[in-house]
Amino acid sequence: MICASQFRWASSARSDVGRVREINEDACLDQPDKGRWAVADGMGGHAVGDLASRLVVDTLSQMSPPASMKRFIADARTRLQVANRQLREEAARRQVQRIGSTVVVLLACDRFCGYLWAGDSRLYLYRQGQLRQLTRDHSQVEELRLQGRLTDEEARHHPAQHMITRAVGATDRLTLDEDAIEVADGDVFLLCSDGLSNEVTNDEILTTLANVDCHRASGELVDIALARGGRDNISAVVVQAEDPHASDKTLLNPAP
């Protein structure tokens, strides 16, 4: 039996090379009809980071329809481990140290969304006028921030902000974090690469998700990052939940 979501999902995705890089090493998965979304940010420069992110997204796009949230997450884990092995083998074949990619995945099943990630691509939730970051970056700077050795503002502009501690393809065994959340009518999720989160403030993300239709919000967020200089590849996937059976329907996304 397939686990269908009780929500009606709408989403949009946009990925841009930015104003500095020559190749877009980001990739997005946007499948609202199947309840799955992802952002992957490849690394490796000349060692084809674009291959890495595309492999991750293509692997996730082949997931089977879920029987439960537990199985949905397990399937994503299994497929990402396969992608990890393939990237390790490709790096060995090319005789380079690594070909890797961050990943953040959002999965919808029944009344819940599950999510898993490795690296510094992020998942945010906008709910009832509040923005919350659901993922925690796997990075050296985030570790320093958690230890109280950097303020939020110092972390945002730290020269080592690109030094991540986990990624698909980085080590022989991929370590992923995961969690799940019960979905509410009107929830809006944002999946993004660090090319967006390093340029766009939380207040700007909140304002955009609160006031812009989800079909246009991904493009608006990318435009803000481009206006700031677009120093990296920029990707955003915006996902909105609507419960057609909600008894107390109100305006979706009331402005804060």
Side-chain angles (χ1 to χ4, degrees), residues 25-147:
E25 296 184 322
D26 286 2
C28 301
L29 180 67
D30 180 21
Q31 295 182 326
D33 56 322
K34 297 180 178 178
R36 54 197 183 199
W37 303 268
V39 167
D41 179 357
M43 66 197 72
H46 297 297
V48 288
D50 54 328
L51 178 150
S53 61
R54 177 49 53 191
L55 175 66
V56 167
V57 164
D58 286 349
T59 299
L60 291 167
S61 73
Q62 297 162 17
M63 293 172 64
S64 304
S68 66
M69 178 55 76
K70 184 176 180 180
R71 290 191 184 181
F72 211 2
I73 292 176
D75 189 13
R77 278 186 169 274
T78 298
R79 290 175 188 271
L80 288 171
Q81 292 292 352
V82 170
N84 189 79
R85 186 177 69 248
Q86 291 173 330
L87 290 176
R88 298 294 285 171
E89 292 170 351
E90 183 65 16
R93 189 180 72 79
R94 294 176 183 244
Q95 296 184 315
V96 296
Q97 186 175 8
R98 70 176 55 86
I99 302 173
S101 176
T102 71
V103 66
V104 58
V105 188
L106 180 68
L107 306 168
C109 179
D110 193 21
R111 296 176 294 111
F112 298 91
C113 272
Y115 52 98
L116 56 165
W117 75 99
D120 59 0
S121 290
R122 293 180 178 178
L123 175 66
Y124 294 87
L125 169 65
Y126 171 79
R127 174 184 287 176
Q128 297 180 342
Q130 302 293 320
L131 182 74
R132 181 156 57 109
Q133 183 179 330
L134 298 180
T135 56
R136 183 178 69 82
D137 294 353
H138 299 132
S139 68
Q140 292 183 1
V141 167
E142 177 65 7
E143 293 299 328
L144 291 172
R145 191 188 70 81
L146 289 173
Q147 293 166 12

Side-chain angles (χ1 to χ4, degrees), residues 14-16 24-28 38-42 102-104 120-124 137 162 190-200 205 222 225 232-237:
R14 183 175 166 196
S15 187
D16 194 285
N24 190 353
E25 296 184 322
D26 286 2
C28 301
V39 167
D41 179 357
T102 71
V103 66
V104 58
D120 59 0
S121 290
R122 293 180 178 178
L123 175 66
Y124 294 87
D137 294 353
H162 298 294
L190 167 66
L191 299 84
C192 66
S193 61
D194 68 330
L196 189 136
S197 57
N198 286 338
E199 304 283 13
V200 184
I205 292 173
V222 170
D232 198 353
N233 306 147
I234 311 158
S235 293
V237 179

